Amino acid sequence: MYSSFHLKVDGVLLNLPVNLNDGQVEVYQDGRHVLIKTDFGLKVTYDLVYRVTITVPASYHGKTCGLCGNFNGNKNDDYRTRGGQLVSSKVEFANSWKAPGD
């Protein structure tokens, strides 16, 4: 059996499920996964081991950037750094998106 999962929001530890901002964000456990859903259609699924899946509505076609690519249907131009430079190194690509701090 799985233990209870928690989410920290503004320094407060909350038990799942969590409903934030009057339903704009929902976080809950579904079997072996933790899901985050927003009212604008973003869905993040985590398998509690290593796999994260991010889904956005088709209205975001060509409007994203970062580690998940640009969602324009062309896999050959997804490795763009934060500065917009197309690189072939996965390490250079990932490091350009690294967040500061811990």
Side-chain angles (χ1 to χ4, degrees):
M1 195 73 200
Y2 299 98
S3 62
S4 177
F5 291 95
H6 308 286
L7 174 70
K8 190 178 269 191
V9 177
D10 294 330
V12 178
L13 197 60
L14 304 171
N15 291 322
L16 296 186
V18 174
N19 182 315
L20 302 169
N21 294 343
D22 295 321
Q24 291 179 340
V25 179
E26 297 177 77
V27 184
Y28 58 94
Q29 183 179 355
D30 183 16
R32 296 180 181 211
H33 296 88
V34 172
L35 285 86
I36 302 170
K37 287 186 176 181
T38 68
D39 63 348
F40 60 87
L42 170 73
K43 180 180 172 184
V44 179
T45 305
Y46 175 50
D47 73 358
L48 305 174
V49 180
Y50 65 91
R51 185 179 181 129
V52 174
T53 304
I54 300 170
T55 307
V56 294
S59 61
Y60 284 83
H61 182 82
K63 298 177 182 175
T64 66
C65 62
L67 294 177
C68 294
N70 56 23
F71 193 34
N72 68 358
N74 179 2
K75 294 179 183 180
N76 295 321
D77 69 353
D78 281 344
Y79 285 169
R80 292 200 180 272
T81 65
R82 183 183 299 270
Q85 179 184 6
L86 187 60
V87 295
S88 58
S89 165
K90 293 177 185 179
V91 173
E92 183 179 0
F93 168 68
N95 283 337
S96 79
W97 291 99
K98 188 174 181 179
D102 296 337

